[in-house]
Amino acid sequence: MLVIKTVDELQDVLFRVHSAGKSVGLVPTMGALHEGHLSLMKRARRENQATVCSIFVNPTQFNNKEDLEKYPRTLEADLKLVEEYMDFVFAPSAEEVYKVPATEHYDFGDLEKVMEGPMRPGHFNGVGIIVKRLFDWIRPDKAYFGEKDFQQIAIIKSLVRQCNLDIQIVPCPIVREESGLALSSRNKRLSEYEHTQAANIYRILKESLELKTDSVAEIKKFVANEIEKIDVLKLEYYEIVDGETLQPVNSLNDSNSIVGCITVYAGEVRLIDNIRYK
Ligand code: PAF
């Protein structure tokens, strides 16, 4: 496995891989890797002749300076974890990635007007900037993203359409702890108590599937009430949306694809998760 720090070397190496006619799978990450990331890497390994992952805590997608500073950075451990699955790791500095300043502006329309969009102004533009740059430098055939970031996948699919890129976006299922808590790099920042209590998020989402109602208002009320019962959890939002357009629905009969997306604070740590109703 080759660890690459500069864009020049990355493009050089990838030029040779493409010239040899090999298919390339990319797994973009911000490091602090866990089994969720590894599930993407295993799949990328199975489906491609060459595999690349990026490890880069991207400053332009953080609208909160403290969140950026506290984001876990564990490069040495990450490199050991991915060795088995990746041919190349791109682990640049921020100076390297933003040698050309980040002036790009993407318009994701209604996709960015809901949920994480208003809560984290500028976040999706920052994601668009880094992902487009990675796509341009690496030119992967397939790129793998975890479904925990459900809205992010819709945004990246939109980026691919807008920029007319020939890249297949491969969404991969959420990986959970035995408790049900979705794996996330942010889980490392939870206290032991918060960690235990955070498992209630998925329990409550699953219970909401069993309610005998099609009314989204009733389902949202149930989830909000149940979250409120857990002392360290604070609901930011629970939205039930069309799985393609991400626009809120009123009834589970409104679309063939419906997903509930939740953001909850466990103490100071912001966690997201989602569940499919249909
Ligand atoms: O999902 C993430 O880890 C990040 O948003 C991504 C896609 C690697 C871009 O920095």
Side-chain angles (χ1 to χ4, degrees):
M1 184 177 80
L2 181 65
V3 181
I4 300 170
K5 296 277 182 188
T6 67
V7 174
D8 279 351
E9 189 186 358
L10 178 69
Q11 288 189 298
D12 217 52
V13 165
L14 263 297
F15 177 77
R16 274 181 266 134
V17 172
H18 285 297
S19 301
K22 290 187 177 171
S23 60
V24 175
L26 168 66
V27 183
T29 82
M30 297 207 298
L33 302 178
H34 49 66
E35 280 298 326
H37 296 108
L38 292 188
S39 74
L40 312 187
M41 300 201 189
K42 286 176 192 169
R43 181 146 177 207
R45 181 74 280 168
R46 281 199 307 273
E47 297 182 353
N48 300 277
Q49 289 159 315
T51 52
V52 190
C53 87
S54 58
I55 299 182
F56 177 60
V57 183
N58 173 37
T60 63
Q61 71 186 77
F62 284 82
N63 56 319
N64 176 332
K65 201 164 162 257
E66 200 186 326
D67 199 22
L68 171 62
E69 277 159 13
K70 287 196 174 153
Y71 204 87
R73 289 162 174 84
T74 56
L75 184 62
E76 288 313 308
D78 291 347
L79 293 178
K80 286 205 183 84
L81 277 178
V82 306
E83 206 162 29
E84 202 181 320
Y85 311 108
M86 294 291 113
D87 297 316
F88 309 105
V89 176
F90 180 50
S93 65
E95 291 70 30
E96 180 67 17
V97 168
Y98 291 114
K99 235 189 259 174
V100 176
T103 52
E104 301 95 312
H105 272 287
Y106 293 103
D107 181 355
F108 297 112
D110 289 343
L111 292 176
E112 64 182 343
K113 296 202 177 91
V114 293
M115 303 190 286
E116 295 298 278
M119 290 298 165
R120 305 178 69 188
H123 168 67
F124 286 127
N125 199 54
V127 170
I129 291 173
I130 184 62
V131 171
K132 175 67 165 56
R133 289 187 181 199
L134 291 170
F135 283 175
D136 288 347
W137 294 329
I138 296 168
R139 294 183 293 124
D141 298 278
K142 295 184 181 181
Y144 298 77
F145 295 89
E147 282 182 328
K148 184 167 73 63
D149 295 293
F150 190 75
Q151 190 171 7
Q152 173 169 276
I153 293 183
I155 292 280
I156 290 166
K157 283 184 176 167
S158 161
L159 179 79
V160 165
R161 274 195 307 274
Q162 283 177 43
C163 302
N164 212 2
L165 304 174
D166 188 15
I167 299 172
Q168 187 188 333
I169 301 304
V170 185
C172 301
I174 299 176
V175 179
R176 298 182 180 280
E177 293 182 354
E178 229 169 272
S179 69
L181 177 64
L183 294 189
S184 162
S185 308
R186 290 168 198 263
N187 293 354
K188 290 194 171 80
R189 289 173 46 205
L190 296 168
S191 71
E192 210 178 311
Y193 182 66
E194 287 162 354
H195 197 134
T196 321
Q197 295 305 310
N200 284 295
I201 300 169
Y202 186 55
R203 173 187 63 76
I204 294 165
L205 291 182
K206 268 199 321 198
E207 282 177 17
S208 81
L209 296 180
E210 307 302 324
L211 298 175
K212 301 270 173 282
T213 178
D214 290 333
S215 157
V216 160
E218 279 180 36
I219 301 171
K220 283 171 70 170
K221 197 164 151 203
F222 168 83
V223 169
N225 286 343
E226 291 301 306
I227 294 282
E228 211 188 320
K229 289 181 192 163
I230 316 293
D231 57 357
V232 289
L233 299 186
K234 192 163 181 305
L235 181 65
E236 189 172 75
Y237 64 77
Y238 186 51
E239 292 295 348
I240 299 181
V241 300
D242 180 291
E244 298 298 320
T245 66
L246 304 190
Q247 301 312 296
V249 293
N250 293 317
S251 157
L252 295 187
N253 299 316
D254 283 354
S255 167
N256 290 331
S257 165
I258 295 191
V259 178
C261 299
I262 196 163
T263 298
V264 176
Y265 276 91
E268 303 275 288
V269 185
R270 191 171 185 274
L271 300 173
I272 65 173
D273 201 346
N274 60 74
I275 199 156
R276 189 167 276 282
Y277 288 89
K278 61 203 275 211

